[in-house]
């Protein structure tokens, strides 16, 4: 029978202890790396969500600026801003929430008409842009900031003179 000398036994114990320590350290590092990867993945998802939200906010602000310009009679500036809005909308529509896409497509379908009435300086272009803004906000699931334009002014009590 072969017998181990105390030196061999001690060397084997040291090798086993080193292997166990290495395994524990590697396992700990693997766990830490996995947690760091998960945290990075979560952070990237949150960042992508924030970027999409910011893009939609820029889109809304762009429509609001075009609306204000048109309502104040600055039709050329309104046309430029509306054109920028529609370009941005074209970019964002594909990545917008699924529920928003039909409404965004309806807005995009109005592009040529809106740009035309703005370029002609037609007074109703301000109300039309306000309708676009309201439609955009509804498509994005937001409460519209403007009340819907009325077809005719409200009628008060008749005056007799």
């Amino acid at each position: 029978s072969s017998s181990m000398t105390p030196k061999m036994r001690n060397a084997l114990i040291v090798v086993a202890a080193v292997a166990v320590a290495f395994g524990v350290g590697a396992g700990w590092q693997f766990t830490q790396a996995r947690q760091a990867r998960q945290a990075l993945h979560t952070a990237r998802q949150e960042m992508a969500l924030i970027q999409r939200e910011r893009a939609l906010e820029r889109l809304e602000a762009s429509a609001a600026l075009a609306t204000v310009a048109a309502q104040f009679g600055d039709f050329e500036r309104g046309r430029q801003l509306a054109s920028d809005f529609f370009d941005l909308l074209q970019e964002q529509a594909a990545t917008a929430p699924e529920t928003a896409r039909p409404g965004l497509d309806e807005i995009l379908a109005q592009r040529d008409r809106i740009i035309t009435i703005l370029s002609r300086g037609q007074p109703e272009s301000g109300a039309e842009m306000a309708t676009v803004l309201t439609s955009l906000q509804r498509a994005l699931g937001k409460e519209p900031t403007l009340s819907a334009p009325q077809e005719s002014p409200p009628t008060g009590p008749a005056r007799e003179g």
Side-chain angles (χ1 to χ4, degrees):
S1 83
S2 71
S3 66
M4 242 189 237
T5 65
K7 277 186 169 181
M8 287 173 62
R9 194 177 89 230
N10 288 344
L12 188 58
I13 290 172
V14 167
V15 167
V18 167
V20 167
F22 177 79
V24 168
W28 180 81
Q29 284 185 336
F30 174 78
T31 301
Q32 294 299 312
R34 192 177 79 219
Q35 289 173 348
R37 278 194 305 274
Q38 181 61 37
L40 179 62
H41 178 71
T42 301
R44 284 183 174 156
Q45 285 180 322
E46 289 173 0
M47 188 171 86
L49 178 64
I50 290 168
Q51 286 174 333
R52 281 192 302 272
E53 288 173 355
R54 285 192 62 223
L56 294 175
E57 288 170 1
R58 277 195 316 272
L59 185 63
E60 187 178 355
S62 176
L65 287 171
T67 299
V68 169
Q71 287 179 338
F72 278 94
D74 190 352
F75 301 113
E76 178 53 24
R77 182 71 180 134
R79 185 198 61 74
Q80 291 168 353
L81 290 165
S83 180
D84 293 345
F85 160 75
F86 283 111
D87 289 346
L88 193 56
L89 178 58
Q90 185 82 42
E91 291 172 19
Q92 297 301 321
T95 59
E98 196 68 38
T99 55
R101 291 184 190 164
L104 298 180
D105 289 342
E106 286 177 23
I107 295 168
L108 279 170
Q110 299 177 50
R111 177 188 185 122
D112 291 344
R113 183 180 64 79
I114 298 289
I115 298 296
T116 299
I117 64 173
L118 282 163
S119 64
R120 291 180 181 162
Q122 293 177 308
E124 68 271 15
S125 59
E128 291 294 324
M129 275 308 303
T131 301
V132 167
L133 176 59
T134 299
S135 298
L136 174 68
Q137 290 168 329
R138 286 196 177 116
L140 298 177
K142 295 183 170 189
E143 189 67 31
T145 54
L146 301 171
S147 60
Q150 297 175 337
E151 295 298 320
S152 59
T155 56
R159 291 188 184 192
E160 299 204 16

